[in-house]
Amino acid sequence: MDGWLLKGDVSLTYGSYGSGKTTHALYKAYNFAHGKNILDRSTPCKKGKSLFICTDGGVTTFKKAMYDLGIEDDPVFQKGEEQKIFVWGFDAKQGQQAWYGNINGLIKLENFVRYKGIDAVFIDSAKKVSSGAFNYLDNVQSRDFISLLRDIIAVPNNAHIEILSHDGTARGAHAGAKSWAEEPSMVIHLKPNIDDETKKQNGVTAEFKKDRAANIDPRRTVVYKLEEC
């Protein structure tokens, strides 16, 4: 998807609470499933399949994003030939285990991506999937994890892998080790737009910190508002 999803590569999208990271990712996946580009891009794309790995809050945040966008009844979520969006969500009651970025998790993910023909994987979030697998704050371990995602899953399957993360303590910076932003080829920072008078959020700014695939304007800024239904 021109300007948003990279074939055979890894990206990072990070932002504070309320910036709509999951909704932003789902909006991309939903339009990708229908072969449409989004926001400031209009170049058509193929109808692609996406996988969401929901470990940050389980499926609750994902469900809310579905309802906010008003797309919960679309066939792309339903089992069958029309399904384009798949979800792995931790749910102890249903016996669904959480996914972690260890060797077993990577093998499971690679098999699923290859078997189902997945074109885009959204991992929510970096901190959660590293828990129990490697040190989220360690530059070397985080870099190795991202390299494995790229070399074992993204490149061989021509898939886009997007990692979602939170803001760090420094203004405008992401949380965790520096490698989380240094290794990916695309990094997007989502910032809520707050109205000066009402003090309420009236949109989101997507600031591209880098985009190695962009020939023009690799640090573009996109301001948008996804209307709630």
Side-chain angles (χ1 to χ4, degrees):
M1 181 188 281
D2 176 47
W4 294 102
L5 302 180
L6 304 174
K7 181 184 289 187
D9 217 329
V10 180
S11 74
L12 171 75
T13 297
Y14 70 98
S16 63
Y17 175 80
S19 59
K21 297 182 291 295
T22 304
T23 305
H24 172 86
L26 180 55
Y27 185 71
K28 283 192 285 193
Y30 177 74
N31 282 275
F32 185 43
H34 289 278
K36 299 178 182 177
N37 214 317
I38 62 171
L39 302 175
D40 67 331
R41 291 290 194 265
S42 58
T43 306
C45 58
K46 74 169 188 175
K47 293 182 179 181
K49 293 181 180 181
S50 298
L51 167 66
F52 275 81
I53 300 177
C54 305
T55 57
D56 196 357
V59 296
T60 303
T61 304
F62 183 84
K63 285 182 178 178
K64 182 181 184 305
M66 288 175 64
Y67 286 109
D68 284 348
L69 294 171
I71 59 177
E72 67 276 5
D73 295 323
D74 195 285
V76 297
F77 296 103
Q78 298 170 11
K79 288 185 178 180
E81 294 182 0
E82 298 298 318
Q83 186 174 10
K84 289 287 193 296
I85 298 178
F86 301 80
V87 181
W88 289 357
F90 169 68
D91 192 326
K93 293 181 180 179
Q94 296 187 36
Q96 180 65 47
Q97 300 298 314
W99 184 87
Y100 295 108
N102 53 24
I103 188 64
N104 290 332
L106 290 169
I107 292 172
K108 178 183 177 182
L109 179 58
E110 197 281 329
N111 287 336
F112 189 83
V113 168
R114 179 163 40 86
Y115 176 71
K116 289 289 187 179
I118 300 297
D119 302 290
V121 178
F122 298 90
I123 299 175
D124 189 5
S125 65
K127 186 174 184 179
K128 289 292 184 179
V129 300
S130 62
S131 176
F134 59 93
N135 188 349
Y136 165 75
L137 300 173
D138 187 279
N139 267 316
V140 175
Q141 294 181 42
S142 299
R143 182 174 66 245
D144 289 346
F145 172 69
I146 296 171
S147 295
L148 287 172
L149 285 176
R150 178 185 284 115
D151 296 341
I152 295 176
I153 301 170
V155 174
N157 297 285
N158 285 323
H160 169 93
I161 298 181
E162 185 160 333
I163 302 166
L164 307 185
S165 188
H166 300 280
D167 272 351
T169 54
R171 183 179 178 84
H174 62 90
K178 292 182 179 180
S179 295
W180 290 107
E182 291 175 347
E183 289 302 308
S185 293
M186 177 187 287
V187 177
I188 306 173
H189 183 206
L190 301 183
K191 298 182 292 183
N193 295 339
I194 307 300
D195 187 274
D196 291 335
E197 295 183 2
T198 64
K199 304 303 179 183
K200 294 182 178 180
Q201 184 174 338
N202 61 5
V204 177
T205 296
E207 180 183 358
F208 283 72
K209 296 294 186 177
K210 68 176 176 181
D211 181 0
R212 291 173 182 161
N215 294 320
I216 301 173
D217 197 13
R219 292 177 176 267
R220 78 185 198 273
T221 299
V222 182
V223 180
Y224 64 89
K225 182 176 183 180
L226 303 180
E227 298 289 346
E228 290 191 358
C229 298

